[in-house]
Amino acid sequence: MIKILDDKTIDKISAGEVVDRPLNVVKELVENSLDAGATSISIEIEKSGKKLIRVSDNGHGMNKEDLVLSVQRHATSKIDTFDDLSTTITLGFRGEALPSIAAISIFDIKTQETGSDSGWHLSIEGSKQANLQPWAGSGGTIVEVKNLFFNTPVREKFLKSDTTEKAKIINCIDEIALVRNDIDFKIISDGKTLAQYQKTDSKIKRIEDVLGRDLSKKLKYINFNHPKIDIEAFVSTRENSLAQRNAQYLFVNSRCVNYPKWLIHSIYQAYKQATPIGRHPAVIMFLKSNPSDIDINVHPTKREIKFAKENEMYELFYTFIKGTVESDEPSSIVNVKSGDEKEQINNNRYNYKPNYIPNRDVSVSDYKNLYSSNIGQAHIQEELLQSDEYKFIGQIFSMYIIVERYNMCYIIDQHAGQERVKYEMFSDEVQNNTLDIQQLLIPDVFELQGSKSIVLKNSLTIFNKLGFTLEEFGGNTFRLTSYPALLGGDVSFIEIINGVIEFLEEEKSAQVQEIQEVIIQIACKTSIKAGDILLDKQAVQLAKELFACKMPYTCPHGRPTMYKITREELEKFFKRT
Ligand code: ADP
Ligand code: MG
């Protein structure tokens, strides 16, 4: 039987869409305070917001009529028509937050409009309007949300531990505080002041308050003005990479969003030569573009963002971050005016070409197409493949192999070179489902530390896809029965697996293609090291394999694999021409 739901039930259902944890309430209320022009916002929570959330601001407040309207569905002061939706720059505009929150809590607003000498107090208990009375307070608004989910116990069951919910709330306020340095924030939890950020003109001062001085003093400032987009960013220098990915924030028109995959990719590429494997740059970036401009599109409630011309933007970000990272200046400011973009970019020192052709979702299978679509590289590769004749000259410093080939002398970094070879072979086999798997004669049984064991349990499929047949063997013990044959038998698989787990542990918020990165890790860990003495035969084999690669000139981390000297260069140097 079809039934029409009553209003209260509808309210409760739609409340769940806006509010599924205390964090959402805090965020909506703080955003309302910001929209009301507040310059000081205090957030108090008890029991991680489950018992109480109180947000007080000194914004413009509401008069009696607006107060009553504010808790009704689709009541908003922020837009009048559908057309406004694309141009609105306020944070909330659907008029849904207050009624949704009021439907599932003991709800209370006290507010006084600017210019008025008294205010109003409205209490609601689970959608039932309880009371409206005058309030002798001060300018601004205080919203109190008590016993959240008291009438929707199912929802409450899904909440995480108090610590987790509290951490989420603090992270959320920190994100807002990072971009709104013009506002005083205070966070109080169970009576204790956890943070107090004083308003400041300086973005870096606020970064220091929120993320700590250790980090802030290592950052470089960049400002890039482009006709389509203004970028301000604070980035770590090459000496100051981090072990974790926890200092990467992206704000678009003052809203914190997730880095799109292609953008994080472009940033990591720009850092490649500067950041050691497994380390991460700090990148706190503020983008501004006209909201009606279709170039950036932010979903109003989600954290996803879309750029119209991602390929163009990829290159722009790559160029500008790489330029900054590689310069010794403490800050760089670049202005690109309309019309002469190309020229300006090429005329300053930010003239770098990325190794990758940008693509939104770079997967293993795309990876090689990306490389081979680079026309210049393809041309050189052809030239290399034409001739098979080469002469092995020797190995120097137990690190480099020297090869003569086709009027050129190549100095090959043996580690980087082999990384490239293994990476391509491995990716090829995985991609074409031709992975050659070698059974272990005696299975390897090993035990991991608790946290590592969790990571491995969660990533068994990745390992299995890559040819490691791994199974749980009780507790934190695992059993390895096979491995990818191309790795050879004389490496320590436990060490490789451990290395990959460590990498995955750090990648909690990873936005990169996991499997591709894991292949890179494995290729690196199983390659000959600098210092390994090679037999002539091995060196020749390596050179041969490297020249046969699709992208022989860089290792998968982006570092060069070889240095080339042409016959002409030598002749010029020795003044023979
Ligand atoms: P939205 O923010 O999408 O408009 P809300 O339900 O969050 O919808 O709020 C409804 C209305 O209540 C807002 O449009 C605003 O006019 C008013 N309001 C909410 N919070 C405040 C506040 N802290 N100060 C002043 N006005 C507020
Ligand atoms: Mg709102």
Side-chain angles (χ1 to χ4, degrees):
M1 195 172 79
I2 297 177
K3 269 202 296 195
I4 308 270
L5 297 173
D6 62 80
D7 278 358
K8 260 205 277 176
T9 314
I10 294 173
D11 278 355
K12 274 207 241 170
I13 292 172
S14 47
E17 287 165 17
V18 183
V19 182
D20 59 9
R21 49 177 17 115
L23 158 76
N24 307 120
V25 174
V26 173
K27 185 157 187 280
E28 293 288 347
L29 297 184
V30 171
E31 289 185 344
N32 278 349
S33 297
L34 292 171
D35 284 344
T39 57
S40 174
I41 303 174
S42 146
I43 302 102
E44 292 170 69
I45 53 174
E46 277 174 29
K47 231 179 155 282
S48 308
K50 295 171 189 170
K51 192 164 164 225
L52 169 79
I53 295 167
R54 182 189 293 125
V55 174
S56 319
D57 69 50
N58 64 349
H60 58 55
M62 283 177 273
N63 61 28
K64 187 180 170 187
E65 292 70 41
D66 283 348
L67 174 59
V68 172
L69 273 175
S70 73
V71 291
Q72 285 170 29
R73 199 146 285 282
H74 304 303
T76 175
S77 56
K78 295 165 195 170
I79 52 167
D80 288 330
T81 65
F82 186 72
D83 287 345
D84 292 347
L85 275 174
S86 60
T87 51
T88 187
I89 51 164
T90 61
L91 296 164
F93 51 75
R94 296 167 311 144
E96 259 176 288
L98 296 190
S100 302
I101 298 164
I104 50 172
S105 66
I106 317 274
F107 187 79
D108 197 286
I109 315 186
K110 302 184 185 88
T111 185
Q112 179 175 315
E113 197 176 28
T114 314
S116 168
D117 45 17
S118 68
W120 291 92
H121 177 177
L122 176 69
S123 326
I124 298 174
E125 194 181 314
S127 282
K128 286 185 295 229
Q129 181 150 331
N131 209 343
L132 178 66
Q133 60 192 71
W135 177 58
S138 54
T141 304
I142 303 169
V143 181
E144 246 176 45
V145 176
K146 285 190 193 142
N147 298 353
L148 187 63
F149 304 122
F150 80 104
N151 54 357
T152 52
V154 183
R155 184 66 62 185
E156 196 175 4
K157 266 215 243 122
F158 285 106
L159 293 181
K160 299 255 164 41
S161 73
D162 278 6
T163 328
T164 310
E165 296 295 338
K166 191 154 94 184
K168 283 179 193 286
I169 291 174
I170 293 162
N171 275 340
C172 165
I173 299 168
D174 280 350
E175 281 176 4
I176 296 173
L178 277 174
V179 67
R180 294 304 303 263
N181 51 289
D182 56 333
I183 310 251
D184 284 328
F185 287 94
K186 190 172 182 180
I187 312 174
I188 300 164
S189 166
D190 298 318
K192 266 195 268 162
T193 302
L194 294 186
Q196 192 155 12
Y197 308 135
Q198 236 146 54
K199 65 169 170 247
T200 164
D201 291 340
S202 147
K203 281 202 164 74
I204 191 70
K205 173 71 176 66
R206 180 53 64 88
I207 291 174
E208 179 185 324
D209 286 347
V210 176
L211 301 179
R213 177 150 173 74
D214 272 356
L215 177 76
S216 74
K217 66 175 187 226
K218 293 174 181 164
L219 300 176
K220 255 178 155 177
Y221 173 71
I222 21 182
N223 187 337
F224 192 102
N225 287 307
H226 186 268
K228 294 268 172 58
I229 192 168
D230 279 352
I231 306 169
E232 257 191 300
F234 296 85
V235 301
S236 50
T237 57
R238 52 174 103 199
E239 299 82 22
N240 286 313
S241 57
L242 310 174
Q244 310 264 309
R245 250 173 217 270
N246 54 5
Q248 297 178 351
Y249 294 89
L250 174 62
F251 300 92
V252 174
N253 296 337
S254 297
R255 183 188 283 272
C256 189
V257 295
N258 294 339
Y259 272 101
K261 253 185 212 165
W262 63 267
L263 178 50
I264 206 77
H265 196 267
S266 134
I267 292 171
Y268 274 78
Q269 279 306 113
Y271 267 97
K272 278 253 143 113
Q273 271 104 333
T275 305
I277 304 151
R279 308 270 306 170
H280 304 277
V283 185
I284 301 151
M285 197 177 308
F286 304 89
L287 307 186
K288 282 220 156 59
S289 88
N290 187 338
S292 67
D293 200 326
I294 44 123
D295 275 291
I296 307 185
N297 207 328
V298 187
H299 190 283
T301 54
K302 301 205 185 96
R303 292 169 63 99
E304 309 311 324
I305 128 174
K306 275 210 154 66
F307 284 64
K309 293 184 181 147
E310 291 178 355
N311 285 19
E312 216 178 86
M313 287 293 152
Y314 182 106
E315 205 152 331
L316 182 80
F317 282 102
Y318 174 85
T319 307
F320 119 102
I321 290 187
K322 183 156 177 145
T324 307
V325 172
E326 293 188 350
S327 95
D328 294 324
E329 313 284 321
S331 64
S332 29
I333 297 173
V334 183
N335 256 301
V336 182
K337 285 197 220 83
S338 209
D340 49 17
E341 296 161 39
K342 270 260 146 48
E343 210 178 321
Q344 291 256 356
I345 289 183
N346 290 339
N347 278 343
N348 63 36
R349 63 197 148 78
Y350 294 83
N351 190 12
Y352 298 88
K353 274 261 156 229
N355 279 334
Y356 285 40
I357 299 297
N359 185 306
R360 193 184 316 160
D361 290 305
V362 186
S363 65
V364 178
S365 57
D366 287 329
Y367 197 65
K368 285 185 314 215
N369 301 339
L370 293 184
Y371 276 138
S372 51
S373 59
N374 189 326
I375 298 158
Q377 295 288 5
H379 172 73
I380 305 170
Q381 280 158 41
E382 218 166 83
E383 171 195 320
L384 276 176
L385 292 172
Q386 271 168 12
S387 154
D388 230 332
E389 317 158 332
Y390 60 88
K391 212 156 98 195
F392 173 60
I393 311 295
Q395 186 193 25
I396 52 168
F397 313 131
S398 338
M399 225 187 266
Y400 307 102
I401 301 166
I402 303 185
V403 176
E404 179 195 329
R405 187 173 199 249
Y406 211 64
N407 277 332
M408 317 233 200
C409 169
Y410 294 93
I411 304 173
I412 299 172
D413 178 314
Q414 61 192 43
H415 174 72
Q418 198 175 43
E419 258 185 321
R420 162 58 58 188
V421 169
K422 290 213 168 168
Y423 171 74
E424 287 200 8
M425 282 185 181
F426 208 171
S427 303
D428 266 359
E429 290 192 4
V430 171
Q431 191 193 330
N432 303 329
N433 275 326
T434 52
L435 197 62
D436 198 358
I437 290 171
Q438 180 68 49
Q439 298 297 324
L440 279 166
L441 281 178
I442 306 157
D444 242 336
V445 176
F446 58 97
E447 197 181 357
L448 293 175
Q449 181 192 321
S451 63
K452 290 213 160 70
S453 146
I454 293 171
V455 177
L456 183 54
K457 281 177 190 166
N458 285 333
S459 41
L460 283 177
T461 40
I462 295 187
F463 280 99
N464 286 334
K465 252 188 229 158
L466 296 178
F468 293 95
T469 310
L470 264 173
E471 350 168 274
E472 292 182 42
F473 204 56
N476 295 331
T477 309
F478 296 85
R479 190 166 76 154
L480 176 73
T481 51
S482 81
Y483 63 92
L486 70 113
L487 297 184
D490 50 357
V491 287
S492 160
F493 297 111
I494 312 299
E495 217 171 276
I496 295 169
I497 291 166
N498 251 306
V500 173
I501 293 174
E502 264 166 40
F503 167 77
L504 290 172
E505 252 180 326
E506 272 178 21
E507 298 293 293
K508 272 180 216 111
S509 58
Q511 295 173 27
V512 285
Q513 284 290 319
E514 238 173 20
I515 199 154
Q516 175 198 317
E517 294 288 329
V518 170
I519 294 178
I520 296 180
Q521 293 293 313
I522 295 174
C524 171
K525 299 225 154 58
T526 56
S527 290
I528 36 170
K529 307 268 172 307
D532 290 353
I533 308 288
L534 295 190
L535 300 173
D536 288 10
K537 208 174 71 188
Q538 288 173 305
V540 171
Q541 175 73 11
L542 173 56
K544 226 180 192 169
E545 285 171 348
L546 182 60
F547 286 130
C549 279
K550 298 189 176 75
M551 185 61 199
Y553 296 103
T554 57
C555 80
H557 303 103
R559 285 189 295 270
T561 53
M562 58 177 95
Y563 183 72
K564 181 177 77 178
I565 307 167
T566 62
R567 187 187 193 121
E568 292 83 68
E569 275 168 338
L570 285 177
E571 283 170 357
K572 226 171 172 178
F573 177 82
F574 289 109
K575 308 226 180 294
R576 285 177 165 274
T577 50

